[in-house]
């Protein structure tokens, strides 16, 4: 990686702050828990939310900049220990995971509470996640050391989504926009599956070849669509919560 460009860092701060504010609006947050991060252009440092802030309070300027050893390079306040061990280890293990989002969003988390809970490929939004979800079926408690962070990174591998048994989900992507778009549609897909199962009928199967072809078509347009989606959401924030970018 090259040296950090100040404009790139500023843009990353704005995008990550937007992700926090939007997560509140979409009920993807929980208390002052959960955490989002984005790797910076130097490949050695990343932005993470400060401990103790509600996500509606996160701004571009109050995000912390950390290195892989947990040193605070910029910003005031402390970070949550579990946040550091989850995010730093995934960033280090997978450079393609530039943005790492961890939430306890309700419908996706509900699936992690089921024995062998899986997102079934029975609905259009779900199909984009075909063969792209890792399932960690072992809940080991809070992530408070490098060993557990490394274990999670190994389970995730090169996939973009990981379901954490009895816990929540992790979504990663090459940019904040793409990771946020994945997280948004993951929760939509999980919500529809939970609702469908609540009706007690049998889930309607989708032919395997249709699953594969639909996913291929979705992936082809994913970066462009995610950029348009996230851009539109940021325009709403600019009108209604302009302080987020400061």
């Amino acid at each position: 990686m090259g040296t950090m460009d100040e404009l790139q860092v500023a843009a990353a701060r704005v995008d990550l702050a937007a992700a926090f504010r939007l997560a509140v609006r979409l009920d993807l947050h929980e208390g002052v828990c959960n955490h989002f991060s984005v790797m910076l252009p130097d490949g050695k440092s990343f932005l993470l939310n400060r401990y103790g802030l509600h996500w509606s309070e996160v701004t571009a300027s109050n995000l912390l900049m950390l290195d892989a050893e947990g040193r605070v390079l910029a910003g005031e306040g402390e970070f949550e220990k579990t946040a550091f061990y989850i995010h730093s280890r995934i960033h280090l293990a997978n450079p393609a995971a530039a943005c790492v989002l961890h939430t306890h969003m309700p419908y996706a988390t509900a699936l992690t509470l089921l024995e062998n809970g899986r997102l079934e490929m029975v609905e259009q939004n779900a199909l984009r996640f075909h063969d792209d979800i890792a399932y960690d079926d072992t809940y080991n408690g809070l992530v408070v050391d490098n060993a557990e962070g490394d274990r999670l990174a190994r389970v995730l591998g090169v996939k973009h989504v990981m379901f954490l048994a009895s816990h929540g989900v992790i979504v990663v992507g090459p940019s904040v926009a793409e990771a946020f778009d994945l997280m948004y549609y993951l929760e939509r897909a999980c919500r529809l599956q939970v609702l469908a199962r609540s009706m007690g009928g049998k889930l309607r199967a989708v032919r395997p070849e249709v699953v594969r072809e639909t996913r291929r078509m979705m992936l082809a347009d994913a970066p462009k669509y995610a950029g348009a989606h996230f851009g539109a959401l940021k325009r709403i924030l600019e009108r209604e919560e302009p302080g987020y970018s400061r």
Side-chain angles (χ1 to χ4, degrees):
M1 292 283 184
T3 57
M4 283 201 289
D5 181 281
E6 290 184 5
L7 291 177
Q8 289 178 300
V9 174
R13 285 183 172 277
V14 169
D15 279 356
L16 194 60
F20 284 108
R21 296 294 186 99
L22 293 165
V24 173
R25 289 173 170 240
L26 296 167
D27 192 28
L28 306 177
H29 67 307
E30 184 172 76
V32 294
C33 309
N34 301 173
H35 10 86
F36 294 172
S37 65
V38 64
M39 181 63 79
L40 292 171
D42 64 355
K44 300 176 182 177
S45 55
F46 60 96
L47 300 176
L48 183 72
N49 48 311
R50 189 173 88 201
Y51 175 71
L53 290 179
H54 190 270
W55 286 10
S56 63
E57 299 178 294
V58 174
T59 66
S61 61
N62 67 28
L63 291 164
L64 300 178
M65 184 189 297
L66 308 176
D67 66 12
E69 282 72 50
R71 290 185 287 258
V72 178
L73 306 177
E76 298 180 359
E78 58 183 312
F79 55 86
E80 187 180 87
K81 184 184 294 186
T82 60
F84 173 74
Y85 287 115
I86 291 173
H87 291 256
S88 65
R89 307 315 291 179
I90 291 175
H91 282 305
L92 288 172
N94 183 5
C99 182
V100 178
L101 309 177
H102 170 54
T103 76
H104 300 166
M105 52 192 191
Y107 290 95
T109 301
L111 292 185
T112 76
L113 309 185
L114 298 175
E115 192 74 36
N116 297 314
R118 299 291 185 263
L119 179 64
E120 304 293 340
M121 297 297 113
V122 294
E123 176 266 335
Q124 182 167 283
N125 285 331
L127 302 187
R128 69 185 296 176
F129 300 103
H130 171 63
D131 201 29
D132 199 24
I133 300 175
Y135 293 95
D136 177 24
D137 291 325
T138 305
Y139 178 65
N140 285 334
L142 299 179
V143 183
V144 292
D145 55 37
N146 282 339
E148 182 64 3
D150 287 338
R151 188 187 71 80
L152 292 178
R154 286 194 300 271
V155 175
L156 175 63
V158 297
K159 296 185 185 298
H160 289 90
V161 174
M162 178 160 58
F163 279 67
L164 307 170
S166 308
H167 182 179
V169 294
I170 292 172
V171 180
V172 306
S175 66
V176 176
E178 289 180 71
F180 190 90
D181 188 65
L182 282 169
M183 180 179 67
Y184 172 87
Y185 279 104
L186 178 66
E187 179 69 348
R188 297 287 295 189
C190 292
R191 179 185 179 187
L192 288 170
Q193 183 165 310
V194 170
L195 291 172
R197 285 194 176 279
S198 73
M199 293 188 289
K202 182 179 179 181
L203 295 176
R204 187 196 308 274
V206 177
R207 299 194 309 278
E209 65 273 19
V210 175
V211 171
R212 291 191 296 270
E213 178 61 12
T214 303
R215 179 174 187 266
R216 186 193 66 78
M217 294 174 69
M218 286 179 165
L219 289 183
D221 290 333
K224 180 179 179 181
Y225 182 89
H229 182 201
F230 197 63
L233 293 172
K234 284 172 66 179
R235 289 194 297 275
I236 295 171
L237 287 179
E238 286 294 344
R239 291 195 300 269
E240 299 178 4
E241 297 181 55
Y244 87 93
S245 60
R246 295 172 190 154

